[in-house]
Amino acid sequence: MKAKFISFILISILLLSSISTAALELDDFDKNLFVKIFKDVNSDDLEYMARLGLDSKDISLILYYYSNSDKRLDRDDLDYLVRNRERISEFHRYYGMPQIIFDDELVRFRHPRRERHFAPLDTKKYDRKFEFRGGTEIIKVRGNNYDYKYNNKRTGVEERIEIKNQKYEYYYKDRNMVEMLDVHHANNKYSYYYKNFNTGRTIRKEGRGRKTNKYNVYEELKEKYRDMEDDDWDGDDDWDDDDKYDDDHDDDNVSVKLDIEIDLSDLFN
């Protein structure tokens, strides 16, 4: 009995040591990278995630998904992601994201931020309809199929996301812009289109994407960070306003901060 108790203590010490070791893996370079690229993320948030056992690659993928989806990262989501850290890339559909990144950069949606509803992570059956003044929001999940529809007649916003085993389709339109992304999962070919009705600025991209994983997302973020450092990026949001772009500007060479709402303050209480 005593031997079993000692074994339990040793195992507990080893587990705690492994968590502490994970925290040390987040070096100053990675902290600076995340804080510079993602809004509302600070060193305390990052250190806490690292203490839970998430490394820089895990954190890269998590922040990438949450920044693009407008989803708030809270305690419940973070706990679930920690328990399923090897499967995070499989959850792309719950953020309304494709399972690829572009061949030359990360996917970055340009539509305005807004509050929205989401299906719980990893759920296989979900049906909800939300009604509000002037419109509806519908979410439907069946296995690996995900359908999202939002229509607001009062503001003129229409958004649709359809994810099946072999395809991904995204459509957004409001009074100022239209944005579309189609992906064929069989060969990872994609077609992206964006147009700002006010400025006439248009972006078209086609190619064969790379399947999203934490390693290539981290490498793309590192490249973006180094470009920002080389260009002496001053940290303001001027590049995010389409009316400040030159239509002939090469968008692929512009460092853009990804927005994220992160609410981890209660974790330190």
Side-chain angles (χ1 to χ4, degrees):
M1 184 69 179
K2 186 176 181 180
K4 289 183 178 179
F5 178 76
I6 293 174
S7 297
F8 174 78
I9 294 296
L10 290 174
I11 291 172
S12 300
I13 292 173
L14 288 173
L15 288 173
L16 290 173
S17 299
S18 65
I19 293 175
S20 299
T21 302
L24 297 176
E25 292 177 1
L26 205 62
D27 58 26
D28 289 340
F29 174 84
D30 289 331
K31 287 182 184 178
N32 292 335
L33 182 156
F34 293 131
V35 170
K36 193 174 185 71
I37 292 179
F38 296 98
K39 293 179 182 178
D40 302 324
V41 175
N42 57 48
S43 294
D44 288 340
D45 300 328
L46 297 169
E47 289 172 2
Y48 182 84
M49 286 189 274
R51 286 202 300 272
L52 293 179
L54 298 171
D55 61 26
S56 298
K57 281 76 173 178
D58 298 321
I59 295 173
S60 295
L61 189 56
I62 291 171
L63 296 184
Y64 170 65
Y65 280 150
Y66 279 81
S67 64
N68 252 322
S69 66
D70 299 338
K71 195 175 193 301
R72 180 179 292 275
L73 177 57
D74 58 19
R75 180 196 292 267
D76 291 339
D77 276 10
L78 187 59
D79 287 346
Y80 193 85
L81 292 169
V82 169
R83 294 195 302 270
N84 296 272
R85 61 187 296 263
E86 298 303 325
R87 299 179 54 224
I88 295 174
S89 61
E90 298 176 19
F91 299 153
H92 64 91
R93 63 181 58 84
Y94 300 102
Y95 306 102
M97 293 290 293
Q99 68 176 19
I100 67 157
I101 61 175
F102 294 146
D103 54 314
D104 58 349
E105 64 176 347
L106 297 174
V107 174
R108 181 178 69 86
F109 288 118
R110 293 168 170 81
H111 59 261
R113 294 179 60 90
R114 66 172 174 81
E115 294 293 328
R116 63 183 67 211
H117 294 91
F118 296 88
L121 291 178
D122 212 17
T123 186
K124 297 302 180 183
K125 186 176 181 180
Y126 185 82
D127 281 282
R128 290 294 301 271
K129 181 177 181 180
F130 304 92
E131 296 183 352
F132 52 89
R133 182 183 176 187
T136 57
E137 184 180 28
I138 301 172
I139 308 173
K140 182 177 181 179
V141 178
R142 287 291 185 275
N144 292 328
N145 296 334
Y146 175 94
D147 288 283
Y148 177 90
K149 295 178 182 178
Y150 177 90
N151 193 297
N152 191 326
K153 295 179 180 178
R154 188 166 54 89
T155 61
V157 174
E158 181 183 1
E159 185 176 31
R160 300 191 304 269
I161 305 172
E162 183 179 2
I163 305 176
K164 308 291 185 186
N165 284 331
Q166 295 300 318
K167 71 174 183 177
Y168 170 95
E169 293 182 357
Y170 178 85
Y171 176 87
Y172 175 94
K173 186 178 182 181
D174 62 26
R175 297 187 178 105
N176 300 308
M177 59 165 285
V178 63
E179 184 171 37
M180 294 179 283
L181 173 62
D182 293 332
V183 179
H184 297 282
H185 291 155
N187 52 22
N188 288 339
K189 286 188 176 180
Y190 68 85
S191 174
Y192 174 82
Y193 176 79
Y194 163 87
K195 183 170 184 177
N196 185 304
F197 300 141
N198 297 320
T199 65
R201 180 171 181 254
T202 302
I203 300 173
R204 289 186 176 88
K205 290 177 66 70
E206 292 184 349
R208 189 184 297 272
R210 296 167 286 163
K211 191 168 183 178
T212 306
N213 61 58
K214 62 183 182 180
Y215 302 104
N216 55 26
V217 169
Y218 176 69
E219 290 303 318
E220 287 294 329
L221 290 177
K222 279 204 306 185
E223 183 175 341
K224 182 72 68 178
Y225 174 71
R226 286 168 177 152
D227 288 344
M228 293 166 73
E229 290 289 285
D230 291 342
D231 294 339
D232 193 25
W233 182 262
D234 62 6
D236 61 33
D237 301 328
D238 288 348
W239 290 107
D240 287 332
D241 297 330
D242 283 302
D243 58 350
K244 296 180 182 176
Y245 273 103
D246 186 323
D247 287 345
D248 296 327
H249 189 82
D250 183 2
D251 187 69
D252 291 343
N253 293 328
V254 176
S255 299
V256 180
K257 279 198 171 185
L258 303 176
D259 293 326
I260 187 168
E261 283 190 79
I262 185 166
D263 183 16
L264 300 177
S265 57
D266 60 326
L267 298 176
F268 300 97
N269 296 332

